[in-house]
Amino acid sequence: MQGTIDGFSYGLVTPVVAYLMACLGGALGLRCTTRSLLVENSWRPGWLALGSAAIGSGIWTMHFVAMMGFAVEGVPVRYDPAITFASLGLAVVMVGIGIFIVGYRGATVMALFTGGTITGLGVASMHYLGMAGMRLQGTLRYDTFTVSLSVLIAVVAATAALWAAVQVRGFLWSLGASLVMGLAVTGMHYTGMAALDVHVHASGGGPSGAPAGELLAPMMIGPLAFLVLAGVVVIFDPTMAAGADRPRTGLGPRPRPALVRRPGIPAHGPGSDAYRGRPPRRRRSFVPAPPRGPRSRLGR
């Protein structure tokens, strides 16, 4: 028997909150990616790891906030805790691979394509593994074309978000990238849910696992606390707070030293005495010696 699916049992509350959670995780993660481009190489892995965990936690929290509004008429929905936690780990790892590729290779076409593809596949894998952890008295079936469309949405939007993040042009670029990342996650989620059909079993025992409310609400406390902690780190970082979005290593050429102007002395570039703070050297005037005439034989 075909089950009646309601993905908005709480109205617009769950989609709006889910989108905001995806944007929050994306904003923190992409901002950490931007920060990694402004530091020395020894600090870069830490910022990239923090960004990967923030994005992974954000998209995982978004998914299960949205799933709290999912219901099948007359059928209780439960979740397997092990698979639910595994979906969080998968999201962090796959997003981390994509973030590290872009963080170290820069805004090259190949790096963005590879990193965006892996990040988008991480979003999709998290979604469908989380759906595999759902337990109900029925069978889940997916439309292949719609599933492929959801994965494509995730890959394209994730690539665009990474491209905007590595431009290193200020806070507004990172904010726009986070909105795109949030759109990638929520668009992929609800497109994937549109591909779902539930065939309800007429008889059988109740599903195993924990009820959605009892399992999901406590599980989201950890990722939410981590997002708050990541937000504190980003906000109180002096370089990010000052908006000094200029790459020191990694991307792009280093800025050339500015010319030094001193009173009464024209601008000089590196290598000159004025640039080093020394007084200008005095040039010795060269006076050529008078020409010598032919030697006299008497002087010999």
Side-chain angles (χ1 to χ4, degrees):
M1 181 177 63
Q2 193 74 20
T4 303
I5 299 175
D6 184 7
F8 305 94
S9 57
Y10 294 101
L12 293 178
V13 174
T14 49
V16 170
V17 174
Y19 176 72
L20 293 177
M21 293 307 305
C23 289
L24 175 61
L28 295 176
L30 295 175
R31 198 63 178 158
C32 290
T33 304
T34 300
R35 183 66 179 90
S36 71
L37 305 176
L38 310 175
V39 298
E40 301 297 337
N41 290 332
S42 59
W43 290 92
R44 185 171 298 180
W47 282 104
L48 292 175
L50 181 62
S52 305
I55 294 177
S57 300
I59 63 178
W60 184 88
T61 306
M62 173 270 150
H63 171 81
F64 284 103
V65 166
M67 289 306 297
M68 292 185 73
F70 174 83
V72 180
E73 185 178 354
V75 179
V77 178
R78 297 174 179 267
Y79 291 89
D80 182 84
I83 298 179
T84 302
F85 275 115
S87 65
L88 173 60
L90 180 64
V92 173
V93 170
M94 292 196 67
V95 170
I97 294 174
I99 291 292
F100 269 78
I101 290 175
V102 174
Y104 275 97
R105 302 299 298 177
T108 63
V109 175
M110 184 57 66
L112 286 173
F113 175 77
T114 306
T117 300
I118 295 176
T119 302
L121 291 177
V123 175
S125 300
M126 180 279 305
H127 172 86
Y128 289 107
L129 181 59
M131 294 296 293
M134 189 166 57
R135 299 289 181 260
L136 51 82
Q137 191 176 340
T139 304
L140 306 182
R141 297 175 181 176
Y142 293 94
D143 178 71
T144 304
F145 174 78
T146 311
V147 169
S148 302
L149 180 61
S150 68
V151 175
L152 181 62
I153 291 173
V155 169
V156 172
T159 303
L162 291 178
W163 173 83
V166 298
Q167 294 305 303
V168 201
R169 293 183 181 176
F171 177 76
L172 292 180
W173 276 83
S174 295
L175 179 61
S178 67
L179 296 178
V180 174
M181 179 63 79
L183 182 64
V185 179
T186 53
M188 182 272 145
H189 173 85
Y190 285 106
T191 304
M193 295 304 294
L196 176 66
D197 286 324
V198 178
H199 183 75
V200 180
H201 299 164
S203 61
S208 60
E214 295 180 8
L215 177 67
L216 298 183
M219 284 182 67
M220 286 189 290
I221 295 177
L224 285 173
F226 175 79
L227 290 175
V228 172
L229 177 61
V232 171
V233 172
V234 172
I235 291 173
F236 287 97
D237 180 71
T239 304
M240 303 301 283
D245 290 355
R246 291 295 181 270
R248 294 177 56 188
T249 57
L251 295 181
R254 290 179 179 270
R256 298 181 62 184
L259 299 181
V260 176
R261 294 186 178 273
R262 300 186 181 278
I265 302 175
H268 296 273
S272 64
D273 292 326
Y275 181 81
R276 298 190 182 100
R278 302 174 184 169
R281 300 175 187 174
R282 241 181 229 183
R283 295 187 178 180
R284 296 182 179 179
S285 58
F286 174 73
V287 180
R292 300 175 62 182
R295 293 184 180 181
S296 173
R297 293 183 180 181
L298 297 176
R300 291 184 178 179

Short mmCIF file of all heavy atoms in Angstrom, two decimals, residues 26-27 29-31 33-35 37 102 106-108 112 116 156-181 245 251:
data_model
loop_
_atom_site.label_atom_id
_atom_site.label_comp_id
_atom_site.label_asym_id
_atom_site.label_seq_id
_atom_site.Cartn_x
_atom_site.Cartn_y
_atom_site.Cartn_z
N GLY A 26 27.74 26.62 6.80
CA GLY A 26 28.48 27.03 5.61
C GLY A 26 29.26 28.31 5.84
O GLY A 26 30.41 28.43 5.40
N ALA A 27 28.67 29.28 6.54
CA ALA A 27 29.35 30.55 6.80
C ALA A 27 30.61 30.33 7.64
O ALA A 27 31.68 30.87 7.33
CB ALA A 27 28.40 31.52 7.50
N GLY A 29 32.28 27.45 8.10
CA GLY A 29 33.24 26.61 7.41
C GLY A 29 33.97 27.33 6.30
O GLY A 29 35.20 27.23 6.16
N LEU A 30 33.25 28.07 5.48
CA LEU A 30 33.88 28.79 4.37
C LEU A 30 34.72 29.95 4.88
O LEU A 30 35.73 30.31 4.27
CB LEU A 30 32.80 29.28 3.40
CG LEU A 30 32.03 28.17 2.69
CD1 LEU A 30 30.92 28.76 1.84
CD2 LEU A 30 32.94 27.32 1.83
N ARG A 31 34.31 30.55 6.00
CA ARG A 31 35.13 31.62 6.57
C ARG A 31 36.45 31.05 7.10
O ARG A 31 37.50 31.69 7.00
CB ARG A 31 34.35 32.31 7.69
CG ARG A 31 34.90 33.69 8.06
CD ARG A 31 34.80 34.65 6.91
NE ARG A 31 35.29 35.97 7.29
CZ ARG A 31 35.71 36.87 6.43
NH1 ARG A 31 35.73 36.58 5.15
NH2 ARG A 31 36.11 38.05 6.82
N THR A 33 37.88 28.48 5.79
CA THR A 33 38.65 28.22 4.58
C THR A 33 39.33 29.48 4.09
O THR A 33 40.51 29.47 3.70
CB THR A 33 37.72 27.67 3.48
OG1 THR A 33 37.04 26.50 3.96
CG2 THR A 33 38.51 27.30 2.23
N THR A 34 38.62 30.60 4.12
CA THR A 34 39.23 31.88 3.76
C THR A 34 40.37 32.22 4.71
O THR A 34 41.43 32.69 4.28
CB THR A 34 38.16 32.99 3.80
OG1 THR A 34 37.12 32.68 2.88
CG2 THR A 34 38.76 34.33 3.43
N ARG A 35 40.16 31.97 5.99
CA ARG A 35 41.20 32.28 6.98
C ARG A 35 42.45 31.45 6.74
O ARG A 35 43.58 31.92 6.98
CB ARG A 35 40.65 32.03 8.39
CG ARG A 35 41.64 32.38 9.51
CD ARG A 35 41.87 33.87 9.53
NE ARG A 35 42.78 34.25 10.61
CZ ARG A 35 44.09 34.33 10.51
NH1 ARG A 35 44.68 34.04 9.37
NH2 ARG A 35 44.83 34.69 11.53
N LEU A 37 43.82 30.75 4.08
CA LEU A 37 44.61 31.32 3.01
C LEU A 37 45.42 32.53 3.48
O LEU A 37 46.25 33.05 2.73
CB LEU A 37 43.71 31.74 1.85
CG LEU A 37 42.80 30.64 1.30
CD1 LEU A 37 41.89 31.21 0.22
CD2 LEU A 37 43.61 29.49 0.75
N VAL A 102 40.87 22.34 -2.11
CA VAL A 102 40.77 23.75 -2.51
C VAL A 102 41.69 24.62 -1.66
O VAL A 102 42.31 25.56 -2.15
CB VAL A 102 39.31 24.23 -2.43
CG1 VAL A 102 39.21 25.71 -2.71
CG2 VAL A 102 38.44 23.45 -3.41
N GLY A 106 44.26 25.98 -4.27
CA GLY A 106 43.82 27.30 -4.69
C GLY A 106 42.65 27.25 -5.65
O GLY A 106 41.99 26.22 -5.84
N ALA A 107 42.40 28.40 -6.29
CA ALA A 107 41.22 28.56 -7.14
C ALA A 107 41.49 28.13 -8.58
O ALA A 107 41.03 28.76 -9.52
CB ALA A 107 40.74 30.00 -7.10
N THR A 108 42.22 27.05 -8.76
CA THR A 108 42.41 26.51 -10.11
C THR A 108 41.15 25.76 -10.54
O THR A 108 40.36 25.31 -9.70
CB THR A 108 43.63 25.59 -10.16
OG1 THR A 108 43.38 24.45 -9.30
CG2 THR A 108 44.89 26.31 -9.68
N LEU A 112 38.95 23.33 -8.01
CA LEU A 112 37.55 23.65 -7.72
C LEU A 112 36.61 22.55 -8.20
O LEU A 112 35.64 22.20 -7.52
CB LEU A 112 37.17 24.98 -8.36
CG LEU A 112 37.74 26.24 -7.69
CD1 LEU A 112 37.44 27.47 -8.52
CD2 LEU A 112 37.17 26.40 -6.28
N GLY A 116 34.81 20.66 -5.32
CA GLY A 116 33.37 20.86 -5.33
C GLY A 116 32.61 19.56 -5.55
O GLY A 116 31.56 19.33 -4.95
N VAL A 156 27.04 21.22 -8.04
CA VAL A 156 27.17 22.54 -8.67
C VAL A 156 27.19 23.64 -7.63
O VAL A 156 28.04 24.55 -7.67
CB VAL A 156 26.03 22.76 -9.69
CG1 VAL A 156 26.04 24.19 -10.20
CG2 VAL A 156 26.17 21.78 -10.85
N ALA A 157 26.27 23.60 -6.68
CA ALA A 157 26.20 24.65 -5.67
C ALA A 157 27.41 24.61 -4.74
O ALA A 157 27.93 25.66 -4.33
CB ALA A 157 24.90 24.53 -4.87
N ALA A 158 27.90 23.43 -4.40
CA ALA A 158 29.08 23.34 -3.54
C ALA A 158 30.31 23.89 -4.26
O ALA A 158 31.14 24.58 -3.65
CB ALA A 158 29.32 21.88 -3.13
N THR A 159 30.45 23.62 -5.55
CA THR A 159 31.57 24.16 -6.32
C THR A 159 31.51 25.68 -6.36
O THR A 159 32.53 26.37 -6.20
CB THR A 159 31.56 23.59 -7.75
OG1 THR A 159 31.59 22.16 -7.69
CG2 THR A 159 32.76 24.10 -8.55
N ALA A 160 30.31 26.23 -6.58
CA ALA A 160 30.16 27.69 -6.61
C ALA A 160 30.49 28.30 -5.25
O ALA A 160 31.12 29.36 -5.17
CB ALA A 160 28.73 28.06 -7.02
N ALA A 161 30.10 27.63 -4.17
CA ALA A 161 30.39 28.16 -2.83
C ALA A 161 31.89 28.16 -2.56
O ALA A 161 32.44 29.13 -2.00
CB ALA A 161 29.65 27.33 -1.78
N LEU A 162 32.58 27.10 -2.94
CA LEU A 162 34.03 27.05 -2.73
C LEU A 162 34.74 28.10 -3.58
O LEU A 162 35.72 28.71 -3.13
CB LEU A 162 34.55 25.65 -3.07
CG LEU A 162 34.13 24.53 -2.12
CD1 LEU A 162 34.67 23.19 -2.61
CD2 LEU A 162 34.62 24.81 -0.70
N TRP A 163 34.27 28.30 -4.79
CA TRP A 163 34.88 29.33 -5.64
C TRP A 163 34.74 30.71 -4.99
O TRP A 163 35.69 31.51 -4.97
CB TRP A 163 34.22 29.34 -7.01
CG TRP A 163 34.68 30.48 -7.87
CD1 TRP A 163 35.81 30.54 -8.63
CD2 TRP A 163 34.02 31.75 -8.04
NE1 TRP A 163 35.90 31.76 -9.27
CE2 TRP A 163 34.83 32.51 -8.92
CE3 TRP A 163 32.84 32.30 -7.54
CZ2 TRP A 163 34.46 33.80 -9.31
CZ3 TRP A 163 32.50 33.58 -7.92
CH2 TRP A 163 33.30 34.32 -8.80
N ALA A 164 33.56 31.01 -4.46
CA ALA A 164 33.36 32.31 -3.81
C ALA A 164 34.20 32.44 -2.55
O ALA A 164 34.70 33.51 -2.24
CB ALA A 164 31.88 32.51 -3.49
N ALA A 165 34.41 31.32 -1.84
CA ALA A 165 35.17 31.39 -0.59
C ALA A 165 36.64 31.68 -0.84
O ALA A 165 37.27 32.42 -0.09
CB ALA A 165 35.03 30.07 0.18
N VAL A 166 37.23 31.10 -1.89
CA VAL A 166 38.66 31.28 -2.13
C VAL A 166 38.98 32.55 -2.89
O VAL A 166 40.14 32.81 -3.19
CB VAL A 166 39.25 30.07 -2.89
CG1 VAL A 166 39.10 28.81 -2.09
CG2 VAL A 166 38.59 29.91 -4.26
N GLN A 167 37.99 33.37 -3.20
CA GLN A 167 38.28 34.65 -3.83
C GLN A 167 38.96 35.60 -2.86
O GLN A 167 39.66 36.52 -3.25
CB GLN A 167 37.00 35.30 -4.38
CG GLN A 167 36.37 34.52 -5.53
CD GLN A 167 37.35 34.28 -6.65
OE1 GLN A 167 37.92 35.21 -7.20
NE2 GLN A 167 37.55 33.02 -6.99
N VAL A 168 38.77 35.41 -1.57
CA VAL A 168 39.41 36.19 -0.51
C VAL A 168 39.19 37.68 -0.75
O VAL A 168 40.10 38.47 -0.84
CB VAL A 168 40.93 35.89 -0.43
CG1 VAL A 168 41.44 36.29 0.95
CG2 VAL A 168 41.23 34.43 -0.67
N ARG A 169 37.94 38.10 -0.88
CA ARG A 169 37.64 39.50 -1.17
C ARG A 169 36.83 40.17 -0.08
O ARG A 169 36.26 41.22 -0.30
CB ARG A 169 36.90 39.60 -2.51
CG ARG A 169 37.76 39.21 -3.69
CD ARG A 169 37.00 39.39 -4.98
NE ARG A 169 37.79 39.00 -6.12
CZ ARG A 169 37.34 38.99 -7.37
NH1 ARG A 169 36.09 39.37 -7.62
NH2 ARG A 169 38.10 38.61 -8.37
N GLY A 170 36.70 39.57 1.07
CA GLY A 170 36.01 40.25 2.14
C GLY A 170 34.86 39.44 2.70
O GLY A 170 34.53 38.34 2.25
N PHE A 171 34.24 40.01 3.74
CA PHE A 171 33.19 39.30 4.47
C PHE A 171 31.97 39.04 3.60
O PHE A 171 31.32 38.00 3.72
CB PHE A 171 32.81 40.12 5.70
CG PHE A 171 31.67 39.51 6.48
CD1 PHE A 171 31.89 38.41 7.29
CD2 PHE A 171 30.39 40.05 6.40
CE1 PHE A 171 30.85 37.85 8.02
CE2 PHE A 171 29.35 39.49 7.10
CZ PHE A 171 29.58 38.39 7.91
N LEU A 172 31.62 39.98 2.72
CA LEU A 172 30.42 39.81 1.91
C LEU A 172 30.53 38.63 0.97
O LEU A 172 29.55 37.94 0.70
CB LEU A 172 30.14 41.10 1.13
CG LEU A 172 29.72 42.31 1.97
CD1 LEU A 172 29.47 43.52 1.08
CD2 LEU A 172 28.47 41.99 2.80
N TRP A 173 31.75 38.39 0.46
CA TRP A 173 31.94 37.22 -0.40
C TRP A 173 31.71 35.93 0.39
O TRP A 173 31.07 35.00 -0.10
CB TRP A 173 33.34 37.23 -1.01
CG TRP A 173 33.43 38.07 -2.24
CD1 TRP A 173 33.61 39.41 -2.31
CD2 TRP A 173 33.33 37.62 -3.60
NE1 TRP A 173 33.63 39.82 -3.61
CE2 TRP A 173 33.47 38.75 -4.43
CE3 TRP A 173 33.16 36.38 -4.19
CZ2 TRP A 173 33.42 38.67 -5.81
CZ3 TRP A 173 33.11 36.29 -5.57
CH2 TRP A 173 33.23 37.43 -6.36
N SER A 174 32.22 35.87 1.60
CA SER A 174 32.02 34.68 2.43
C SER A 174 30.54 34.52 2.80
O SER A 174 30.02 33.41 2.84
CB SER A 174 32.86 34.78 3.70
OG SER A 174 34.23 34.77 3.38
N LEU A 175 29.85 35.64 3.05
CA LEU A 175 28.43 35.58 3.36
C LEU A 175 27.64 35.05 2.16
O LEU A 175 26.77 34.19 2.30
CB LEU A 175 27.92 36.96 3.77
CG LEU A 175 26.43 37.06 4.09
CD1 LEU A 175 26.07 36.17 5.26
CD2 LEU A 175 26.03 38.50 4.38
N GLY A 176 27.95 35.58 0.97
CA GLY A 176 27.27 35.09 -0.22
C GLY A 176 27.55 33.62 -0.47
O GLY A 176 26.66 32.85 -0.88
N ALA A 177 28.80 33.19 -0.22
CA ALA A 177 29.14 31.78 -0.40
C ALA A 177 28.37 30.90 0.56
O ALA A 177 27.94 29.79 0.21
CB ALA A 177 30.65 31.59 -0.22
N SER A 178 28.17 31.38 1.80
CA SER A 178 27.42 30.57 2.77
C SER A 178 25.96 30.45 2.36
O SER A 178 25.34 29.39 2.57
CB SER A 178 27.53 31.21 4.15
OG SER A 178 26.87 32.47 4.19
N LEU A 179 25.38 31.50 1.78
CA LEU A 179 23.99 31.41 1.31
C LEU A 179 23.88 30.40 0.17
O LEU A 179 22.90 29.65 0.09
CB LEU A 179 23.51 32.78 0.85
CG LEU A 179 23.43 33.87 1.93
CD1 LEU A 179 22.98 35.20 1.34
CD2 LEU A 179 22.50 33.44 3.06
N VAL A 180 24.89 30.38 -0.69
CA VAL A 180 24.90 29.39 -1.78
C VAL A 180 25.05 27.98 -1.21
O VAL A 180 24.38 27.04 -1.66
CB VAL A 180 26.02 29.70 -2.79
CG1 VAL A 180 26.13 28.60 -3.83
CG2 VAL A 180 25.74 31.04 -3.46
N MET A 181 25.93 27.82 -0.22
CA MET A 181 26.10 26.51 0.39
C MET A 181 24.82 26.05 1.07
O MET A 181 24.43 24.87 0.98
CB MET A 181 27.24 26.56 1.41
CG MET A 181 27.49 25.24 2.13
SD MET A 181 28.02 23.92 1.03
CE MET A 181 29.74 24.36 0.82
N ASP A 245 41.50 40.60 4.57
CA ASP A 245 41.41 39.48 3.66
C ASP A 245 42.39 39.65 2.52
O ASP A 245 42.01 39.94 1.37
CB ASP A 245 39.98 39.34 3.11
CG ASP A 245 39.02 38.88 4.19
OD1 ASP A 245 39.50 38.59 5.29
OD2 ASP A 245 37.82 38.82 3.92
N LEU A 251 47.75 31.55 -2.37
CA LEU A 251 47.08 32.03 -3.57
C LEU A 251 47.66 33.36 -4.00
O LEU A 251 47.87 34.26 -3.20
CB LEU A 251 45.58 32.21 -3.32
CG LEU A 251 44.80 30.94 -3.02
CD1 LEU A 251 43.35 31.29 -2.82
CD2 LEU A 251 44.95 29.94 -4.14
#
